[in-house]
Amino acid sequence: MSPGRPVLRVIVPLLAALIVAAVAPPAVAAPPGAPGLTVKENRSHVKAVGPGFVLRLSKRGLDVRIDEERFGDPATGNPIERQTIDLTGLTLRPFECRNGTYTIRTGTFERTWRLSRLGTRPPPYPPGFAAGAPGIFTPFLGTLDGTVTDADGRTLRFLISDLVQEVLTDDGFAATAPIHGFFVDERGRVRDRISLTGYFNAGPGGQDPVYKIVDRGTCRQTADLPFGPGSENAVVTGPLFVFPFSAPVKVPREH
């Protein structure tokens, strides 16, 4: 037997293992949040594709396309719900941003949603939240368009998308809750930008909930929400909240 052969017997399998490790795809964790909603964004544009809708948002405007036959889960038999809220004249919490504080003066909040099923979201969703939202949103599609004024009395336009995708099954509960928006000055420049996305995942029966909020924008604050115990110190932007409870915030390094 050649004195080098035992070494080859070790080296050959070792090389084979290294090659396999190099070419084998790494284990990929399941994406956070609920399936069925994809959001792509940069500093000037947002595109969201959900079950039966496509939303595009930029400083120039909002474009929403809804396919009513595919919106949400038509198999449930639950109808598509719509609501328009006139924001003009309402006293609403202002947006606190890096470059200014903005108070809504005029605008509308267009909301479209379909409930996939009745069900209870697991803690830390406060029980009081279920009174106003007793069903699981698959999805909720909200858009806001109007004007704000800053502390110096200057008027800016705001355009905001407020989305929720929730999935409740025997395997657990998942939610993705992104809010995006632009505050645009009279010269067409973006003064501040909202980019808050909440992710929630829990196992069967709400076991081991994991949740976070990713902030890539310049507008974030906290507030106590009106849903009773458990809804204190929630992350919000102006009158909109990401989750109805306190959640940790992650700011990516590239931000």
Side-chain angles (χ1 to χ4, degrees):
M1 179 179 294
S2 168
R5 188 160 299 175
V7 178
L8 287 176
R9 285 179 181 175
V10 175
I11 291 177
V12 172
L14 178 59
L15 287 175
L18 290 174
I19 291 171
V20 169
V23 300
V28 178
L37 176 63
T38 301
V39 179
K40 296 182 179 180
E41 65 170 299
N42 56 40
R43 292 183 179 274
S44 61
H45 185 264
V46 178
K47 179 181 179 181
V49 180
F53 76 88
V54 177
L55 177 145
R56 290 181 173 86
L57 168 66
S58 73
K59 67 178 183 179
R60 295 178 179 85
L62 273 161
D63 180 70
V64 179
R65 308 292 174 91
I66 295 177
D67 183 341
E68 297 201 5
E69 294 183 357
R70 297 177 51 247
F71 187 80
D73 185 1
T76 64
N78 295 325
I80 297 174
E81 305 284 352
R82 288 183 170 86
Q83 182 183 44
T84 299
I85 300 175
D86 186 357
L87 304 176
T88 303
L90 299 182
T91 301
L92 301 170
R93 183 171 49 243
F95 298 89
E96 296 178 9
C97 301
R98 183 180 302 166
N99 300 308
T101 297
Y102 309 111
T103 300
I104 293 177
R105 294 305 180 197
T106 66
T108 57
F109 187 8
E110 303 279 350
R111 311 199 305 179
T112 305
W113 70 93
R114 193 198 293 266
L115 300 182
S116 60
R117 59 184 288 184
L118 295 177
T120 302
R121 301 169 182 86
Y125 281 85
F129 179 65
I136 305 302
F137 293 120
T138 311
F140 175 94
L141 168 59
T143 60
L144 298 87
D145 187 349
T147 63
V148 295
T149 54
D150 65 10
D152 296 322
R154 289 174 292 193
T155 299
L156 296 89
R157 185 184 182 190
F158 72 94
L159 304 109
I160 299 174
S161 62
D162 178 17
L163 308 177
V164 180
Q165 170 77 351
E166 298 177 325
V167 176
L168 176 64
T169 68
D170 292 340
D171 295 326
F173 175 77
T176 302
I179 303 174
H180 291 89
F182 298 100
F183 294 92
V184 185
D185 68 16
E186 68 279 2
R187 297 184 181 180
R189 299 175 300 186
V190 175
R191 174 90 66 83
D192 277 295
R193 172 174 170 264
I194 302 170
S195 177
L196 295 167
T197 302
Y199 301 97
F200 189 104
N201 293 90
Q207 289 181 329
D208 303 320
V210 177
Y211 47 90
K212 65 179 179 180
I213 296 170
V214 177
D215 182 5
R216 293 185 173 90
T218 62
C219 301
R220 183 180 86 232
Q221 62 213 85
T222 59
D224 295 338
L225 299 180
F227 304 122
S231 65
E232 305 87 358
N233 200 36
V235 172
V236 304
T237 180
L240 307 174
F241 60 88
V242 184
F243 289 132
F245 52 85
S246 179
V249 176
K250 177 181 179 181
V251 179
R253 288 185 179 180
E254 63 271 19
H255 173 72

